[in-house]
Amino acid sequence: MSAAEQTVQTRCRVSLLVGQIHLRGIAQVTLSANPWTGLLFTVALFAGGWRTGVYGLLGAGASTATAALLGADRGNLVKGLEGYCGCLTAIALLVSFGASWRTVVLAVVGSAVCSVLSAAAGRLFGRVGLPVLTAPYCLVAGVLVIALPAGPAVSGNPVRAGGFTTLTAEQAGRAFCANIGQVFFLDTWYAGLILLVGLLVTSRAAAVAAAGASALALLTACTAGLPADRIAAGLYGYNGVLCAIALAATFLTLTPWTAGYAALAVVSSVPFTAAWEAFTRPSGGSPFTWPFVVTTWLFLAAGPALGRPGISSEKAE
């Protein structure tokens, strides 16, 4: 084999590795390191709009590249753990400010900062056995959205139904899919289903956890009398979906007890999301995935104090 052919093969291998890392960075939004899952997630992003797909790839690439330049752990880089916060940050800024050169600059800078915050959070929370999750994204996106509002702050809160919220079959079906899609700010039913297929590629447990959490969060939101239009848009369910994936399919050994434990976290995340929304709404902010982060931290931290099979036998790493 000639030197030129060897150079071409080396470049192809490097390009393939970079592509896999990029896709894993997107898949890690749902705690997966499977590049095929990342590919399906990317398809879902582009199905929600080509700009969403471009910004998602841009954010994941910017945060991963920054982490690599700063000498981040190679193992974390290969697993995609340096890309997911940047991916979500870029999409959040697109949704908040619209597509423009200003948003592109903010997305790149914000995603780069996420890599620094991820390193800091990893050192701090690693000492107590808790994962970073999406906390860096929530902090960066939250600060930028509040500091650089795209419009006037909104006063008041969505009007509650005052009893059990009744949805049509179409609304309920849309909500089930949107609860999954809103993890990436996607509210179309087909994007949510593509994400669910991506989870199934990762593991059956993750897909079942996401689907079950979506249905449970939907029922909880209706029981709480939350607004039907926001329930149908998936705005009260996506945090519960992430909680279920984290607790039932990632950090704890799956047993009947941990399944119930995760279900309790899902139920808790719904009023937590509504409360966080009410708190941030006057300033123009958003809950993002803070309810998922805080709920998961609390339930994982409580695990060692509980004596049920699976709940306290595993620690987040």
Side-chain angles (χ1 to χ4, degrees):
M1 182 181 297
S2 66
E5 290 175 331
Q6 289 179 342
T7 301
V8 170
Q9 284 192 354
T10 299
R11 289 178 178 175
C12 287
R13 285 195 295 267
V14 171
S15 298
L16 179 61
L17 177 60
V18 170
Q20 288 179 338
I21 292 173
H22 208 154
L23 293 175
R24 286 174 181 149
I26 297 173
Q28 284 288 2
V29 171
T30 60
L31 306 169
S32 168
N34 190 317
W36 294 108
T37 295
L39 179 60
L40 285 168
F41 284 5
T42 303
V43 170
L45 292 179
F46 278 96
W50 68 268
R51 290 184 178 86
T52 304
V54 169
Y55 273 77
L57 290 172
L58 174 67
S63 58
T64 301
T66 301
L69 289 173
L70 293 176
D73 180 74
R74 178 177 173 80
N76 288 343
L77 284 169
V78 172
K79 292 176 183 177
L81 291 172
E82 302 294 346
Y84 67 99
C85 283
C87 173
L88 289 176
T89 297
I91 297 173
L93 295 177
L94 170 66
V95 172
S96 299
F97 303 127
S100 68
W101 283 110
R102 171 182 180 250
T103 308
V104 169
V105 173
L106 287 174
V108 171
V109 174
S111 299
V113 172
C114 279
S115 64
V116 178
L117 294 185
S118 294
R123 287 181 61 85
L124 290 174
F125 292 108
R127 296 173 182 175
V128 293
L130 292 178
V132 174
L133 302 177
T134 54
Y137 143 66
C138 292
L139 186 58
V140 171
V143 167
L144 290 175
V145 169
I146 293 175
L148 307 170
V154 180
S155 60
N157 294 304
V159 180
R160 293 182 55 185
F164 187 90
T165 303
T166 302
L167 302 179
T168 64
E170 180 182 357
Q171 286 177 315
R174 180 188 171 195
F176 176 83
C177 297
N179 283 340
I180 301 171
Q182 283 290 357
V183 170
F184 286 96
F185 297 89
L186 304 173
D187 60 0
T188 55
W189 64 268
Y190 47 86
L193 290 182
I194 295 173
L195 293 177
L196 186 59
V197 173
L199 286 170
L200 186 60
V201 170
T202 292
S203 76
R204 186 180 303 173
V208 171
S214 179
L216 181 57
L218 171 59
L219 178 60
T220 303
C222 288
T223 302
L226 296 173
D229 59 333
R230 300 185 72 78
I231 295 175
L235 296 177
Y236 298 118
Y238 66 97
N239 282 296
V241 168
L242 289 172
C243 285
I245 294 172
L247 295 173
T250 305
F251 295 117
L252 300 178
T253 302
L254 183 58
T255 67
W257 283 107
T258 52
Y261 195 59
L264 180 60
V266 172
V267 171
S268 301
S269 72
V270 174
F272 196 179
T273 301
W276 206 296
E277 179 186 60
F279 177 74
T280 58
R281 187 176 175 84
S283 62
S286 167
F288 295 116
T289 55
W290 274 125
F292 151 63
V293 172
V294 176
T295 301
T296 302
W297 279 345
L298 291 174
F299 274 68
L300 286 175
L306 304 175
R308 294 301 178 182
I311 295 178
S312 58
S313 63
E314 295 284 333
K315 285 189 176 180
E317 296 181 356

